[in-house]
Amino acid sequence: MSQDICVVVPTIREYECLRSYFANAREHGFDLSRLHVVLVTEDFCETDAMAAMLEEEGVSGDVFDGTRRERWYADRGVAEYGHVVPAASHAETSFGLLYMWAHEEFEYGFFIDDDTLPHEGEDFFGTHVANLAFEGEIEEVASDERWVNVLYQNADEHGLYPRGYPYSAMDETVETGTAEIEAGEVVASQGLWTNVPDLDAVRILMDGDLEGQAQTRTSREDFADDFVAARGNYLTVCSMNLAFRREVIPAFYQLPMDDNEWDVGRFDDIWSGVFLKRACDVLGKRIYNGAPLCEHNKAPRSTFDDLNNEVSGLELNEHLWRVIDGVEPEAPRAARTAEPPEVVGGDADAYAEVFEAVARKLADSDWSDYTNGGFFNHVGEHMLDWLACLDALERTAPRAESTAIS
């Protein structure tokens, strides 16, 4: 089996969790030689120990701290676009997407957060790969608010809404049906989570928790059948337990957060999920949700610190999806490019068209009616730079990585 999966893990401390994922793969007979792990970390972290861990496990991988990322940009001829990946931010997962794009052998990407563990008895990698290949009937979920709560199946008991779910879309009426999925239609597989739910700080405070976690916990019993969100309905996409096809990378940029003049943070994966869902609806694709579950063991921290990081973007989050919902690509992107680069990865050009239309809407519009509305312009400009960076990577001849581990 060729090495076709790139596993991206942002981490500064809990990288040893990967040993559990490798053990899970061995237990279920998943071929670890298919994996290449990219650990995205910082200069102050234990990079040598991270590399040693991969070598001890016999798993191919690379460790990229800030210095090595800068060198990688320079070696690839894209140093001018280094700003698209923010430093010391969870949105550094975008570097893993750039790395994937520069190595066309990777057909699939995985995002794994370092505060998670695979569920015992569940084939983590195998289930995600099977989800991406799924065809047949599956539950389809919609609501009168056009938002699907990924925790809807037991919401009458726990009352939880995940981080990023708009407050204006709460108290929705849920409708379920059946969708017929064709081969190749699923482009992303979102595994859900037990133990600490992925909530925003306001909801954590309402749940009575001051340590950034939640008093209410989720268990395996809170999740029944796997499902997809209906066309025209949005959902939160969390990057802690996620697999995706290469083709979505142009439309799956993890948005620049944390280090900006508006102090907006914590919406990088949420907003990228909104953009991806819009692209999926335009292109007739699907996001699969449910298994494999992971155990989310979020470390205690101040809920008020999280609130401080989120509050600047809360109003924008209420409006973003409505803005995006009305965006249509105006013309094929290649037709507007003098010398269009060869597109790597199936329908990637189509995703880029949708993403560019969204980016131009955000970059060029007046958002002064919203508090911190200028951040939408900032995001749109970075999204355009993201597409330009991907184009530049396609035109750059591959160069040998200096410290790859095999």
Side-chain angles (χ1 to χ4, degrees), residues 21-34:
Y21 284 96
F22 301 149
N24 177 275
R26 295 186 184 101
E27 177 186 352
H28 292 280
F30 189 86
D31 186 358
L32 282 170
S33 71
R34 295 180 65 180

Side-chain angles (χ1 to χ4, degrees), residues 146 234 271 273-279 282 319-328 354-355 357-359 361-362 367 376 383:
R146 298 185 58 205
Y234 291 85
W271 289 6
V274 171
F275 299 152
L276 179 60
K277 184 55 165 67
R278 178 61 184 149
V282 170
H319 298 286
L320 177 77
W321 74 276
R322 296 187 185 278
V323 172
I324 301 316
D325 190 62
V327 173
E328 296 279 358
V354 179
F355 196 71
V358 169
K361 176 66 175 179
L362 291 174
W367 306 110
F376 274 175
M383 291 164 67

Side-chain angles (χ1 to χ4, degrees), residues 6 16 72 78 161 222 239-240 388 402:
C6 184
E16 291 277 347
W72 189 89
V78 294
Y161 286 92
D222 291 311
S239 65
M240 78 169 76
S402 57

Side-chain angles (χ1 to χ4, degrees), residues 2 20 24 39 44 47 57 100 139 187 192-193 200 208 210-211 214 225-226 256 262 277 290 306 324 361 368 390 404:
S2 62
S20 295
N24 177 275
L39 290 164
F44 60 81
T47 55
E57 291 287 337
M100 275 189 68
E139 183 167 80
V187 295
L192 300 177
W193 9 263
D200 67 24
L210 301 183
E211 296 187 330
D225 296 331
D226 298 344
W262 301 270
K277 184 55 165 67
D306 277 354
I324 301 316
K361 176 66 175 179
S368 58
L390 295 180

Side-chain angles (χ1 to χ4, degrees), residues 99-154:
Y99 185 94
M100 275 189 68
W101 198 249
H103 293 82
E104 60 184 76
E105 66 269 25
F106 297 126
E107 297 179 21
Y108 308 103
F110 277 66
F111 285 156
I112 297 175
D113 273 8
D114 68 357
D115 59 357
T116 66
L117 293 171
H119 258 265
E120 185 176 351
E122 291 196 38
D123 180 0
F124 179 80
F125 292 104
T127 300
H128 270 306
V129 171
N131 292 347
L132 292 172
F134 179 82
E135 55 182 313
E137 292 187 348
I138 189 171
E139 183 167 80
E140 182 180 66
V141 187
S143 86
D144 59 342
E145 297 289 348
R146 298 185 58 205
W147 268 85
V148 171
N149 177 2
V150 297
L151 302 177
Y152 79 95
Q153 289 168 330
N154 205 19

Side-chain angles (χ1 to χ4, degrees), residues 135-194:
E135 55 182 313
E137 292 187 348
I138 189 171
E139 183 167 80
E140 182 180 66
V141 187
S143 86
D144 59 342
E145 297 289 348
R146 298 185 58 205
W147 268 85
V148 171
N149 177 2
V150 297
L151 302 177
Y152 79 95
Q153 289 168 330
N154 205 19
D156 289 343
E157 294 294 325
H158 55 60
L160 298 176
Y161 286 92
R163 176 177 56 90
Y165 190 100
Y167 284 86
S168 58
M170 293 172 61
D171 300 321
E172 75 283 11
T173 299
V174 176
E175 304 169 358
T176 61
T178 301
E180 183 69 33
I181 306 296
E182 298 181 358
E185 194 172 333
V186 174
V187 295
S189 168
Q190 177 176 210
L192 300 177
W193 9 263
T194 62

Side-chain angles (χ1 to χ4, degrees), residues 115-389:
D115 59 357
T116 66
L117 293 171
H119 258 265
E120 185 176 351
E122 291 196 38
D123 180 0
F124 179 80
F125 292 104
T127 300
H128 270 306
V129 171
N131 292 347
L132 292 172
F134 179 82
E135 55 182 313
E137 292 187 348
I138 189 171
E139 183 167 80
E140 182 180 66
V141 187
S143 86
D144 59 342
E145 297 289 348
R146 298 185 58 205
W147 268 85
V148 171
N149 177 2
V150 297
L151 302 177
Y152 79 95
Q153 289 168 330
N154 205 19
D156 289 343
E157 294 294 325
H158 55 60
L160 298 176
Y161 286 92
R163 176 177 56 90
Y165 190 100
Y167 284 86
S168 58
M170 293 172 61
D171 300 321
E172 75 283 11
T173 299
V174 176
E175 304 169 358
T176 61
T178 301
E180 183 69 33
I181 306 296
E182 298 181 358
E185 194 172 333
V186 174
V187 295
S189 168
Q190 177 176 210
L192 300 177
W193 9 263
T194 62
N195 195 25
V196 181
D198 183 31
L199 310 181
D200 67 24
V202 173
R203 291 181 169 108
I204 293 172
L205 288 172
M206 292 175 67
D207 196 48
D209 193 290
L210 301 183
E211 296 187 330
Q213 298 180 323
Q215 296 295 313
T216 303
R217 301 299 174 93
T218 53
S219 67
R220 190 186 297 271
E221 289 67 37
D222 291 311
F223 305 97
D225 296 331
D226 298 344
F227 63 93
V228 295
R231 308 281 190 211
N233 280 246
Y234 291 85
L235 75 166
T236 56
V237 175
C238 172
S239 65
M240 78 169 76
N241 173 11
L242 190 74
F244 52 91
R245 292 182 181 271
R246 175 187 185 83
E247 67 192 62
V248 308
I249 288 176
F252 202 40
Y253 174 39
Q254 306 295 289
L255 278 299
M257 294 284 159
D258 303 309
D259 185 16
N260 57 77
E261 64 182 90
W262 301 270
D263 295 323
V264 177
R266 300 261 297 157
F267 291 100
D268 49 310
D269 52 350
I270 299 300
W271 289 6
S272 74
V274 171
F275 299 152
L276 179 60
K277 184 55 165 67
R278 178 61 184 149
C280 286
D281 285 353
V282 170
L283 301 175
K285 304 294 185 176
R286 297 283 193 172
I287 299 172
Y288 190 108
N289 306 277
L293 299 177
C294 74
E295 181 182 307
H296 184 208
N297 302 308
K298 183 180 178 183
R301 64 192 189 209
S302 169
T303 308
F304 293 99
D305 284 348
D306 277 354
L307 180 62
N308 187 59
N309 290 332
E310 294 168 2
V311 68
S312 298
L314 284 176
E315 180 187 10
L316 299 179
N317 188 60
E318 295 294 316
H319 298 286
L320 177 77
W321 74 276
R322 296 187 185 278
V323 172
I324 301 316
D325 190 62
V327 173
E328 296 279 358
E330 296 177 0
R333 183 166 176 258
R336 299 194 300 277
T337 306
E339 296 182 0
E342 180 182 355
V343 174
V344 179
D347 295 327
D349 53 345
Y351 288 92
E353 289 167 17
V354 179
F355 196 71
E356 183 177 0
V358 169
R360 294 197 181 281
K361 176 66 175 179
L362 291 174
D364 298 340
S365 300
D366 179 4
W367 306 110
S368 58
D369 287 346
Y370 302 150
T371 300
N372 298 322
F375 185 65
F376 274 175
N377 302 108
H378 175 78
V379 166
E381 291 161 2
H382 276 65
M383 291 164 67
L384 293 171
D385 286 346
W386 172 255
L387 292 174
C389 184

